[in-house]
Amino acid sequence: MPLATSLAIFQSCNITGVPKSTRCAILRDMAKVRKAERRPPLNKTHKLKRQDWAKKYLKTDFSKVLWTDEMRVSLDGPDGWARGWIGKGQRAPVRLRRQQGGGGVLVWAGIIKDELVGPFRVEDGVKLNSQSYCQFLEDTFFKQWYRKKSASFKKNMIFMQDNAPSHVSKYSTAWLARKGIKEGNLMTWPPCSPDLNPIENLWSIIKCEIYKEGKQYTSLNSVWEAVVAAARNVDGEQIKTLTESMDGRLLSVLAKKGGYIGH
């Protein structure tokens, strides 16, 4: 009975009259409380496009791919992460309740081979449309990282971004081409496929660190500083493990005929 309550489990065994605390104590020896996994909705067209993408890039040297993405971090973090055991007689800590998680910061980063690019902070209040996205890349990624690379590196690098409108618009595509990232160096991306992007795993690592023990923040600067500190603690071997997982991800998505692979 996936995601069943303790009461439903006991009733299915024709056991009644057992207090909730006792039911939970018994179940802890054989099960654990979990939330349902969130997965992108995949229809037939999505699955076919995911398979086509996997076939297209099956022989790619993924050490040359720069995987990029944005992540929004709030002051409060996910509500479900603010739970934990406390000793008898202890009082639960007070947790602030704020609208929209207290506000948040939009962060952009990339990973390639064993290297972390960024993270870079999007200016507060800026909505990323095509123009502001390109200006952001110019001020951060291109000026602080890309321009330092050799001509041969730039020639072989493949730039990955998802299908957000600001990423794939004609304006952004033309602008990237003028910066040297032309069609041949711009990875196409299948719809509804965060499970195929290894940087999503990096975001999970960072969020687990900055929100551990239900931590909250009092300012946007403080949560940004926490993101930077957590990112610095991610070493090259961890990043390399993520980027080297791509061959397996492609084989998995083909084996599942375009289905969700759960990375």
Side-chain angles (χ1 to χ4, degrees):
M1 298 177 65
L3 301 182
T5 64
S6 63
L7 179 61
I9 293 172
F10 272 67
Q11 287 177 340
S12 69
C13 299
N14 296 319
I15 302 173
T16 59
V18 181
K20 181 178 179 180
S21 58
T22 304
R23 296 195 306 264
C24 292
I26 294 171
L27 290 174
R28 284 191 194 100
D29 292 332
M30 62 187 76
K32 56 184 177 180
V33 177
R34 293 288 299 273
K35 287 186 176 182
E37 291 185 24
R38 292 188 175 185
R39 295 183 176 181
L42 294 176
N43 58 34
K44 185 177 180 180
T45 300
H46 294 155
K47 291 179 180 180
L48 288 173
K49 288 184 177 181
R50 284 162 60 90
Q51 290 181 80
D52 290 342
W53 176 85
K55 292 173 184 176
K56 178 179 180 179
Y57 291 103
L58 195 57
K59 296 183 179 180
T60 299
D61 180 358
F62 288 111
S63 68
K64 293 180 171 57
V65 177
L66 175 68
W67 307 92
T68 75
D69 193 25
E70 293 96 8
M71 168 184 70
R72 181 169 292 279
V73 290
S74 67
L75 299 186
D76 295 345
D79 288 337
W81 292 13
R83 299 178 181 178
W85 294 95
I86 60 173
K88 290 184 178 180
Q90 292 181 320
R91 297 187 64 180
V94 175
R95 184 169 175 82
L96 300 176
R97 295 185 63 182
R98 296 178 283 202
Q99 292 289 335
Q100 304 296 322
V105 172
L106 187 61
V107 180
W108 182 98
I111 54 175
I112 181 169
K113 197 174 180 178
D114 59 356
E115 184 178 359
L116 172 63
V117 182
F120 300 119
R121 177 179 177 177
V122 178
E123 185 178 348
D124 298 340
V126 172
K127 183 177 181 180
L128 287 184
N129 55 31
S130 299
Q131 290 80 8
S132 59
Y133 173 64
C134 293
Q135 187 60 55
F136 169 78
L137 290 181
E138 173 66 30
D139 295 339
T140 55
F141 167 70
F142 280 100
K143 286 186 178 179
Q144 299 183 42
W145 187 81
Y146 187 76
R147 73 175 184 178
K148 300 176 183 178
K149 297 299 181 180
S150 66
S152 61
F153 177 91
K154 294 175 182 177
K155 180 180 178 181
N156 293 314
M157 189 195 80
I158 300 173
F159 187 85
M160 174 272 155
Q161 56 184 358
D162 64 23
N163 294 321
S166 60
H167 298 173
V168 298
S169 68
K170 291 182 179 180
Y171 179 95
S172 297
T173 302
W175 184 86
L176 285 170
R178 291 195 298 273
K179 300 296 291 186
I181 302 177
K182 300 181 180 180
E183 184 177 356
N185 297 92
L186 195 59
M187 178 177 279
T188 57
W189 193 247
C192 302
S193 298
D195 55 318
L196 300 180
N197 190 353
I199 201 173
E200 295 289 349
N201 300 91
L202 174 69
W203 294 145
S204 295
I205 293 170
I206 290 175
K207 284 185 174 181
C208 284
E209 177 62 25
I210 67 175
Y211 295 126
K212 64 183 178 182
E213 299 179 354
K215 184 173 177 60
Q216 292 178 288
Y217 297 87
T218 57
S219 69
L220 298 181
N221 285 338
S222 63
V223 72
W224 165 243
E225 290 168 0
V227 168
V228 172
R232 287 175 179 167
N233 286 332
V234 179
D235 61 37
E237 284 302 313
Q238 287 177 284
I239 295 172
K240 188 177 180 181
T241 298
L242 297 180
T243 57
E244 288 186 347
S245 70
M246 289 311 302
D247 289 318
R249 294 185 196 225
L250 267 65
L251 293 174
S252 293
V253 80
L254 289 173
K256 293 193 175 185
K257 298 182 179 180
Y260 183 74
I261 63 172
H263 269 267

